[in-house]
Amino acid sequence: MELTGRQELISIIKERIKREGAIPFRDFMDMALYYPELGYYTSPKEKIGGLGDFFTASELDKVFGELLAKQFGEIYEKLGEKPFQIVEIGAGKGYLAHDILKYLKENLPQVYKNSRYILIEKSPYHIQMQKALLKDFEIVEWFQDIIDFEDESITGVVFSNELFDAFPVHLIRKINGKIYEVYITLEGENTVKEVLKEAPEEITRYLKELNINLPDGMQTEVNLDAKDYIQKIAKKLKKGYVITIDYGYPSAELYKPYRMRGTLLCYHKHRYSENYYQNIGMQDITSHVNFSALKYYGLIAGLDFTGFTDQAHFLTNLGLMEVLAELQERNDLEAFERLNRLKTLVLPKGMGEKFKVLVQHKNVENPIIKGLEMLPYTSDRYKL
Ligand SMILES: C[S@@+](CC[C@H](N)C(=O)[O-])C[C@H]1O[C@@H](n2cnc3c(N)ncnc32)[C@H](O)[C@@H]1O
């Protein structure tokens, strides 16, 4: 496959392949997304929204942030400790932070006054946008990395929307009962070729620990960065919740035979493809999240499992239907347009079922929170 995209980045990737002979697909993906100044997320280019490559829920309507703010208000009361920290990881353009902060400031001023809102973001381009958008909220700060927190120093909520799907993943294949990892090498000057190497112990251990038995012939992803990250969060949290919103499945569903090519996809100008080696540095590459892994490795690191639901149930529990009813009553053009957008948040074919919400907690008694009250436990798709 011919490499296309940002030439400077391609040269750097080729240099590294020439030096090492072959590199894991994961490292290629990491460079394509996060190489300083040249990667998809680290370079100055519109990514999220109509002029970008994909939409996220925070972009759709302020109600997503408002309902989350209500959830944080409930958690604030439950924990009963000040200062209350809200840590958002991978906040993108900052819209969700904006809607949460605005709601807290106007409707729950006590919570706002006693909170610190900390953003952790890897993209300098997004940090710049966040700083401009959030300049009027006094309680906002930025940290470079989750590891900048002292151990057990966070009391509050650590949350993310579409973070883990943006992590670089190991690509693996099962052939005749054996697990291989996909590496990439060069054939000639500009053509990339995938080669297989025996998977390292860390990957086979992951599959074993999560009881994953892949169908023969399957190519799929293992997100070891997600495993490390949830454990880092666990270490930094003293008391409170971790709320992870993203698209994905329990591992029993993720590795079903009808997903023989896994879930890895590229997004470029709202079109998706499996052309990982094209538009390098100019397109998103993303995979579905294995929520069983977040639960399992979270538990090992001290995060208890609170519940797992989908976005539709979560938002409905938090009062989305009341918001829809109010808009319906208004019967004006703006309300009509918002109603249309809001349907995307809950309809199964939109984000309602595809997006899941995993809630974990540490040192909390009676941990069930409002967003989890009506859990869809009937289907295998929700058993972690
Ligand atoms: C798909 S975007 C989602 C943005 C936003 N949450 C939203 O809903 O629109 C993923 C974001 O996570 C950021 N990101 C990825 N890995 C990260 C990490 N390890 N730490 C902090 N931010 C990260 C990316 O730079 C990007 O801004």
PDB file of all heavy atoms in Angstrom, residues 3-4 12 23 37 40 45 47 70 82 109-110 144 146 174 243 248-249 252 284 291 298-299 310-311 324 327:
ATOM      1  N   LEU A   3       2.023   4.931   0.764  1.00  0.00           N
ATOM      2  CA  LEU A   3       1.790   5.863   1.881  1.00  0.00           C
ATOM      3  C   LEU A   3       1.433   7.235   1.332  1.00  0.00           C
ATOM      4  O   LEU A   3       2.172   7.777   0.500  1.00  0.00           O
ATOM      5  CB  LEU A   3       3.062   5.990   2.719  1.00  0.00           C
ATOM      6  CG  LEU A   3       3.505   4.770   3.525  1.00  0.00           C
ATOM      7  CD1 LEU A   3       4.956   4.913   3.948  1.00  0.00           C
ATOM      8  CD2 LEU A   3       2.629   4.607   4.753  1.00  0.00           C
ATOM      9  N   THR A   4       0.301   7.800   1.785  1.00  0.00           N
ATOM     10  CA  THR A   4      -0.025   9.170   1.377  1.00  0.00           C
ATOM     11  C   THR A   4      -0.379   9.978   2.625  1.00  0.00           C
ATOM     12  O   THR A   4      -0.729   9.423   3.657  1.00  0.00           O
ATOM     13  CB  THR A   4      -1.232   9.226   0.409  1.00  0.00           C
ATOM     14  OG1 THR A   4      -2.411   8.856   1.147  1.00  0.00           O
ATOM     15  CG2 THR A   4      -1.070   8.320  -0.786  1.00  0.00           C
ATOM     16  N   ILE A  12       9.310  10.837   8.531  1.00  0.00           N
ATOM     17  CA  ILE A  12       9.743  10.455   9.886  1.00  0.00           C
ATOM     18  C   ILE A  12       9.365   8.993  10.162  1.00  0.00           C
ATOM     19  O   ILE A  12      10.151   8.222  10.717  1.00  0.00           O
ATOM     20  CB  ILE A  12       9.106  11.404  10.930  1.00  0.00           C
ATOM     21  CG1 ILE A  12       9.686  12.804  10.762  1.00  0.00           C
ATOM     22  CG2 ILE A  12       9.342  10.901  12.354  1.00  0.00           C
ATOM     23  CD1 ILE A  12       8.947  13.899  11.507  1.00  0.00           C
ATOM     24  N   ILE A  23       7.966  -1.933  12.406  1.00  0.00           N
ATOM     25  CA  ILE A  23       7.453  -1.384  13.675  1.00  0.00           C
ATOM     26  C   ILE A  23       6.027  -1.893  13.926  1.00  0.00           C
ATOM     27  O   ILE A  23       5.283  -2.149  12.973  1.00  0.00           O
ATOM     28  CB  ILE A  23       7.475   0.171  13.703  1.00  0.00           C
ATOM     29  CG1 ILE A  23       6.580   0.758  12.594  1.00  0.00           C
ATOM     30  CG2 ILE A  23       8.889   0.694  13.591  1.00  0.00           C
ATOM     31  CD1 ILE A  23       6.364   2.274  12.713  1.00  0.00           C
ATOM     32  N   GLU A  37       3.305  18.061  16.679  1.00  0.00           N
ATOM     33  CA  GLU A  37       3.023  19.064  15.639  1.00  0.00           C
ATOM     34  C   GLU A  37       2.556  18.519  14.290  1.00  0.00           C
ATOM     35  O   GLU A  37       2.027  19.246  13.468  1.00  0.00           O
ATOM     36  CB  GLU A  37       4.235  19.975  15.402  1.00  0.00           C
ATOM     37  CG  GLU A  37       4.414  20.957  16.533  1.00  0.00           C
ATOM     38  CD  GLU A  37       5.776  21.589  16.548  1.00  0.00           C
ATOM     39  OE1 GLU A  37       6.289  21.929  15.470  1.00  0.00           O
ATOM     40  OE2 GLU A  37       6.328  21.726  17.657  1.00  0.00           O
ATOM     41  N   TYR A  40      -2.325  13.703  13.564  1.00  0.00           N
ATOM     42  CA  TYR A  40      -3.702  14.151  13.325  1.00  0.00           C
ATOM     43  C   TYR A  40      -4.197  15.038  14.473  1.00  0.00           C
ATOM     44  O   TYR A  40      -4.738  16.119  14.248  1.00  0.00           O
ATOM     45  CB  TYR A  40      -4.616  12.930  13.151  1.00  0.00           C
ATOM     46  CG  TYR A  40      -6.066  13.302  13.003  1.00  0.00           C
ATOM     47  CD1 TYR A  40      -6.517  13.919  11.847  1.00  0.00           C
ATOM     48  CD2 TYR A  40      -6.983  13.074  14.031  1.00  0.00           C
ATOM     49  CE1 TYR A  40      -7.846  14.295  11.707  1.00  0.00           C
ATOM     50  CE2 TYR A  40      -8.314  13.437  13.903  1.00  0.00           C
ATOM     51  CZ  TYR A  40      -8.739  14.053  12.740  1.00  0.00           C
ATOM     52  OH  TYR A  40     -10.052  14.432  12.611  1.00  0.00           O
ATOM     53  N   LYS A  45      -5.564  21.534  12.742  1.00  0.00           N
ATOM     54  CA  LYS A  45      -6.516  21.229  11.665  1.00  0.00           C
ATOM     55  C   LYS A  45      -7.866  20.951  12.317  1.00  0.00           C
ATOM     56  O   LYS A  45      -7.918  20.337  13.386  1.00  0.00           O
ATOM     57  CB  LYS A  45      -5.999  19.968  10.933  1.00  0.00           C
ATOM     58  CG  LYS A  45      -6.954  19.377   9.935  1.00  0.00           C
ATOM     59  CD  LYS A  45      -6.548  17.952   9.557  1.00  0.00           C
ATOM     60  CE  LYS A  45      -7.547  17.257   8.664  1.00  0.00           C
ATOM     61  NZ  LYS A  45      -8.919  17.203   9.158  1.00  0.00           N
ATOM     62  N   LYS A  47     -10.994  19.088  13.347  1.00  0.00           N
ATOM     63  CA  LYS A  47     -11.218  17.643  13.374  1.00  0.00           C
ATOM     64  C   LYS A  47     -12.678  17.296  13.657  1.00  0.00           C
ATOM     65  O   LYS A  47     -13.267  16.437  13.013  1.00  0.00           O
ATOM     66  CB  LYS A  47     -10.344  16.992  14.467  1.00  0.00           C
ATOM     67  CG  LYS A  47      -8.873  17.332  14.300  1.00  0.00           C
ATOM     68  CD  LYS A  47      -8.110  17.194  15.606  1.00  0.00           C
ATOM     69  CE  LYS A  47      -7.025  18.232  15.763  1.00  0.00           C
ATOM     70  NZ  LYS A  47      -6.091  18.390  14.673  1.00  0.00           N
ATOM     71  N   LYS A  70     -25.794  17.814  35.981  1.00  0.00           N
ATOM     72  CA  LYS A  70     -26.743  17.379  37.029  1.00  0.00           C
ATOM     73  C   LYS A  70     -26.194  16.150  37.750  1.00  0.00           C
ATOM     74  O   LYS A  70     -26.281  16.026  38.970  1.00  0.00           O
ATOM     75  CB  LYS A  70     -28.075  16.971  36.379  1.00  0.00           C
ATOM     76  CG  LYS A  70     -29.023  18.095  36.171  1.00  0.00           C
ATOM     77  CD  LYS A  70     -30.374  17.482  35.829  1.00  0.00           C
ATOM     78  CE  LYS A  70     -31.327  18.533  35.350  1.00  0.00           C
ATOM     79  NZ  LYS A  70     -32.571  17.977  34.867  1.00  0.00           N
ATOM     80  N   LYS A  82     -15.034  19.020  50.085  1.00  0.00           N
ATOM     81  CA  LYS A  82     -14.553  20.133  49.275  1.00  0.00           C
ATOM     82  C   LYS A  82     -13.025  20.194  49.337  1.00  0.00           C
ATOM     83  O   LYS A  82     -12.489  19.869  50.400  1.00  0.00           O
ATOM     84  CB  LYS A  82     -15.097  21.463  49.820  1.00  0.00           C
ATOM     85  CG  LYS A  82     -16.584  21.557  49.857  1.00  0.00           C
ATOM     86  CD  LYS A  82     -16.985  22.908  50.429  1.00  0.00           C
ATOM     87  CE  LYS A  82     -17.952  22.699  51.574  1.00  0.00           C
ATOM     88  NZ  LYS A  82     -18.294  23.850  52.334  1.00  0.00           N
ATOM     89  N   PRO A 109     -24.830  26.903  41.915  1.00  0.00           N
ATOM     90  CA  PRO A 109     -23.702  27.781  42.237  1.00  0.00           C
ATOM     91  C   PRO A 109     -22.838  27.279  43.402  1.00  0.00           C
ATOM     92  O   PRO A 109     -21.629  27.520  43.417  1.00  0.00           O
ATOM     93  CB  PRO A 109     -24.378  29.118  42.584  1.00  0.00           C
ATOM     94  CG  PRO A 109     -25.826  28.827  42.746  1.00  0.00           C
ATOM     95  CD  PRO A 109     -26.123  27.595  41.993  1.00  0.00           C
ATOM     96  N   GLN A 110     -23.465  26.556  44.341  1.00  0.00           N
ATOM     97  CA  GLN A 110     -22.696  26.020  45.469  1.00  0.00           C
ATOM     98  C   GLN A 110     -21.668  25.004  44.979  1.00  0.00           C
ATOM     99  O   GLN A 110     -20.519  24.986  45.413  1.00  0.00           O
ATOM    100  CB  GLN A 110     -23.642  25.286  46.451  1.00  0.00           C
ATOM    101  CG  GLN A 110     -23.987  25.948  47.761  1.00  0.00           C
ATOM    102  CD  GLN A 110     -22.988  26.945  48.296  1.00  0.00           C
ATOM    103  OE1 GLN A 110     -22.987  28.101  47.905  1.00  0.00           O
ATOM    104  NE2 GLN A 110     -22.131  26.504  49.224  1.00  0.00           N
ATOM    105  N   GLN A 144      -1.023  18.678  32.264  1.00  0.00           N
ATOM    106  CA  GLN A 144      -0.503  18.051  31.032  1.00  0.00           C
ATOM    107  C   GLN A 144      -0.886  16.594  30.924  1.00  0.00           C
ATOM    108  O   GLN A 144      -1.141  16.078  29.842  1.00  0.00           O
ATOM    109  CB  GLN A 144       1.003  18.174  31.024  1.00  0.00           C
ATOM    110  CG  GLN A 144       1.433  19.458  30.354  1.00  0.00           C
ATOM    111  CD  GLN A 144       2.808  19.333  29.785  1.00  0.00           C
ATOM    112  OE1 GLN A 144       3.679  18.729  30.424  1.00  0.00           O
ATOM    113  NE2 GLN A 144       3.024  19.888  28.617  1.00  0.00           N
ATOM    114  N   ILE A 146      -2.353  12.902  33.339  1.00  0.00           N
ATOM    115  CA  ILE A 146      -2.955  12.366  34.564  1.00  0.00           C
ATOM    116  C   ILE A 146      -1.858  12.068  35.607  1.00  0.00           C
ATOM    117  O   ILE A 146      -2.098  12.168  36.809  1.00  0.00           O
ATOM    118  CB  ILE A 146      -3.810  11.087  34.253  1.00  0.00           C
ATOM    119  CG1 ILE A 146      -4.594  10.607  35.463  1.00  0.00           C
ATOM    120  CG2 ILE A 146      -2.991   9.956  33.673  1.00  0.00           C
ATOM    121  CD1 ILE A 146      -5.851  11.349  35.753  1.00  0.00           C
ATOM    122  N   LYS A 174      -5.298 -14.015  14.523  1.00  0.00           N
ATOM    123  CA  LYS A 174      -5.173 -15.402  14.984  1.00  0.00           C
ATOM    124  C   LYS A 174      -5.114 -16.307  13.754  1.00  0.00           C
ATOM    125  O   LYS A 174      -6.018 -16.280  12.906  1.00  0.00           O
ATOM    126  CB  LYS A 174      -6.367 -15.786  15.861  1.00  0.00           C
ATOM    127  CG  LYS A 174      -6.223 -17.171  16.464  1.00  0.00           C
ATOM    128  CD  LYS A 174      -7.290 -17.376  17.538  1.00  0.00           C
ATOM    129  CE  LYS A 174      -7.202 -18.732  18.165  1.00  0.00           C
ATOM    130  NZ  LYS A 174      -8.263 -18.947  19.149  1.00  0.00           N
ATOM    131  N   ILE A 243     -16.235   8.119  35.093  1.00  0.00           N
ATOM    132  CA  ILE A 243     -17.325   7.936  34.124  1.00  0.00           C
ATOM    133  C   ILE A 243     -16.730   7.973  32.719  1.00  0.00           C
ATOM    134  O   ILE A 243     -16.114   8.960  32.325  1.00  0.00           O
ATOM    135  CB  ILE A 243     -18.408   9.032  34.284  1.00  0.00           C
ATOM    136  CG1 ILE A 243     -18.981   8.986  35.714  1.00  0.00           C
ATOM    137  CG2 ILE A 243     -19.520   8.859  33.247  1.00  0.00           C
ATOM    138  CD1 ILE A 243     -20.096   9.986  35.986  1.00  0.00           C
ATOM    139  N   GLY A 248     -18.409   1.153  22.077  1.00  0.00           N
ATOM    140  CA  GLY A 248     -17.691  -0.085  22.340  1.00  0.00           C
ATOM    141  C   GLY A 248     -18.603  -1.128  22.913  1.00  0.00           C
ATOM    142  O   GLY A 248     -19.833  -0.939  22.993  1.00  0.00           O
ATOM    143  N   TYR A 249     -18.029  -2.244  23.337  1.00  0.00           N
ATOM    144  CA  TYR A 249     -18.800  -3.403  23.785  1.00  0.00           C
ATOM    145  C   TYR A 249     -18.067  -4.112  24.917  1.00  0.00           C
ATOM    146  O   TYR A 249     -16.875  -3.926  25.110  1.00  0.00           O
ATOM    147  CB  TYR A 249     -18.939  -4.417  22.636  1.00  0.00           C
ATOM    148  CG  TYR A 249     -19.651  -3.898  21.435  1.00  0.00           C
ATOM    149  CD1 TYR A 249     -18.951  -3.639  20.253  1.00  0.00           C
ATOM    150  CD2 TYR A 249     -21.018  -3.674  21.445  1.00  0.00           C
ATOM    151  CE1 TYR A 249     -19.605  -3.169  19.118  1.00  0.00           C
ATOM    152  CE2 TYR A 249     -21.681  -3.206  20.316  1.00  0.00           C
ATOM    153  CZ  TYR A 249     -20.965  -2.960  19.164  1.00  0.00           C
ATOM    154  OH  TYR A 249     -21.609  -2.493  18.060  1.00  0.00           O
ATOM    155  N   ALA A 252     -17.082 -10.085  25.161  1.00  0.00           N
ATOM    156  CA  ALA A 252     -17.824 -11.195  24.556  1.00  0.00           C
ATOM    157  C   ALA A 252     -18.486 -10.750  23.252  1.00  0.00           C
ATOM    158  O   ALA A 252     -18.640 -11.542  22.318  1.00  0.00           O
ATOM    159  CB  ALA A 252     -18.883 -11.705  25.520  1.00  0.00           C
ATOM    160  N   ASP A 284      -8.537  10.673  11.145  1.00  0.00           N
ATOM    161  CA  ASP A 284      -8.611  10.014  12.449  1.00  0.00           C
ATOM    162  C   ASP A 284      -8.532   8.501  12.244  1.00  0.00           C
ATOM    163  O   ASP A 284      -8.964   7.979  11.215  1.00  0.00           O
ATOM    164  CB  ASP A 284      -9.954  10.380  13.117  1.00  0.00           C
ATOM    165  CG  ASP A 284      -9.995   9.973  14.584  1.00  0.00           C
ATOM    166  OD1 ASP A 284      -8.906   9.782  15.173  1.00  0.00           O
ATOM    167  OD2 ASP A 284     -11.103   9.859  15.143  1.00  0.00           O
ATOM    168  N   PHE A 291     -15.035  -2.517  26.985  1.00  0.00           N
ATOM    169  CA  PHE A 291     -15.431  -2.081  28.328  1.00  0.00           C
ATOM    170  C   PHE A 291     -15.155  -3.137  29.395  1.00  0.00           C
ATOM    171  O   PHE A 291     -14.973  -2.802  30.558  1.00  0.00           O
ATOM    172  CB  PHE A 291     -16.905  -1.655  28.329  1.00  0.00           C
ATOM    173  CG  PHE A 291     -17.111  -0.287  27.747  1.00  0.00           C
ATOM    174  CD1 PHE A 291     -17.585  -0.125  26.458  1.00  0.00           C
ATOM    175  CD2 PHE A 291     -16.800   0.847  28.476  1.00  0.00           C
ATOM    176  CE1 PHE A 291     -17.758   1.146  25.914  1.00  0.00           C
ATOM    177  CE2 PHE A 291     -16.972   2.119  27.951  1.00  0.00           C
ATOM    178  CZ  PHE A 291     -17.450   2.270  26.666  1.00  0.00           C
ATOM    179  N   GLY A 298      -9.551  -1.987  35.929  1.00  0.00           N
ATOM    180  CA  GLY A 298      -9.926  -1.008  36.948  1.00  0.00           C
ATOM    181  C   GLY A 298     -10.048  -1.691  38.309  1.00  0.00           C
ATOM    182  O   GLY A 298      -9.493  -1.220  39.314  1.00  0.00           O
ATOM    183  N   LEU A 299     -10.741  -2.845  38.324  1.00  0.00           N
ATOM    184  CA  LEU A 299     -10.931  -3.583  39.588  1.00  0.00           C
ATOM    185  C   LEU A 299      -9.592  -3.932  40.215  1.00  0.00           C
ATOM    186  O   LEU A 299      -9.387  -3.756  41.426  1.00  0.00           O
ATOM    187  CB  LEU A 299     -11.704  -4.879  39.327  1.00  0.00           C
ATOM    188  CG  LEU A 299     -13.230  -4.807  39.342  1.00  0.00           C
ATOM    189  CD1 LEU A 299     -13.834  -6.119  38.891  1.00  0.00           C
ATOM    190  CD2 LEU A 299     -13.754  -4.405  40.729  1.00  0.00           C
ATOM    191  N   ASP A 310     -26.227   2.159  28.396  1.00  0.00           N
ATOM    192  CA  ASP A 310     -25.961   2.874  27.148  1.00  0.00           C
ATOM    193  C   ASP A 310     -26.365   4.346  27.320  1.00  0.00           C
ATOM    194  O   ASP A 310     -27.027   4.726  28.287  1.00  0.00           O
ATOM    195  CB  ASP A 310     -26.657   2.213  25.945  1.00  0.00           C
ATOM    196  CG  ASP A 310     -28.142   2.086  26.134  1.00  0.00           C
ATOM    197  OD1 ASP A 310     -28.729   2.931  26.838  1.00  0.00           O
ATOM    198  OD2 ASP A 310     -28.738   1.134  25.590  1.00  0.00           O
ATOM    199  N   GLN A 311     -25.944   5.134  26.346  1.00  0.00           N
ATOM    200  CA  GLN A 311     -26.162   6.582  26.453  1.00  0.00           C
ATOM    201  C   GLN A 311     -27.650   6.931  26.555  1.00  0.00           C
ATOM    202  O   GLN A 311     -28.032   7.831  27.291  1.00  0.00           O
ATOM    203  CB  GLN A 311     -25.528   7.244  25.235  1.00  0.00           C
ATOM    204  CG  GLN A 311     -25.546   8.737  25.282  1.00  0.00           C
ATOM    205  CD  GLN A 311     -24.656   9.322  24.203  1.00  0.00           C
ATOM    206  OE1 GLN A 311     -23.438   9.170  24.267  1.00  0.00           O
ATOM    207  NE2 GLN A 311     -25.226   9.969  23.231  1.00  0.00           N
ATOM    208  N   LEU A 324     -37.039  17.018  26.328  1.00  0.00           N
ATOM    209  CA  LEU A 324     -37.702  16.842  25.031  1.00  0.00           C
ATOM    210  C   LEU A 324     -39.147  17.343  25.098  1.00  0.00           C
ATOM    211  O   LEU A 324     -39.623  18.024  24.187  1.00  0.00           O
ATOM    212  CB  LEU A 324     -37.689  15.365  24.605  1.00  0.00           C
ATOM    213  CG  LEU A 324     -36.313  14.728  24.317  1.00  0.00           C
ATOM    214  CD1 LEU A 324     -36.460  13.271  23.886  1.00  0.00           C
ATOM    215  CD2 LEU A 324     -35.555  15.490  23.244  1.00  0.00           C
ATOM    216  N   LEU A 327     -39.344  21.099  24.962  1.00  0.00           N
ATOM    217  CA  LEU A 327     -39.076  21.616  23.618  1.00  0.00           C
ATOM    218  C   LEU A 327     -40.291  21.403  22.725  1.00  0.00           C
ATOM    219  O   LEU A 327     -40.653  22.266  21.920  1.00  0.00           O
ATOM    220  CB  LEU A 327     -37.850  20.921  23.007  1.00  0.00           C
ATOM    221  CG  LEU A 327     -36.496  21.299  23.612  1.00  0.00           C
ATOM    222  CD1 LEU A 327     -35.389  20.417  23.067  1.00  0.00           C
ATOM    223  CD2 LEU A 327     -36.162  22.764  23.310  1.00  0.00           C
TER     224      LEU A 327
END
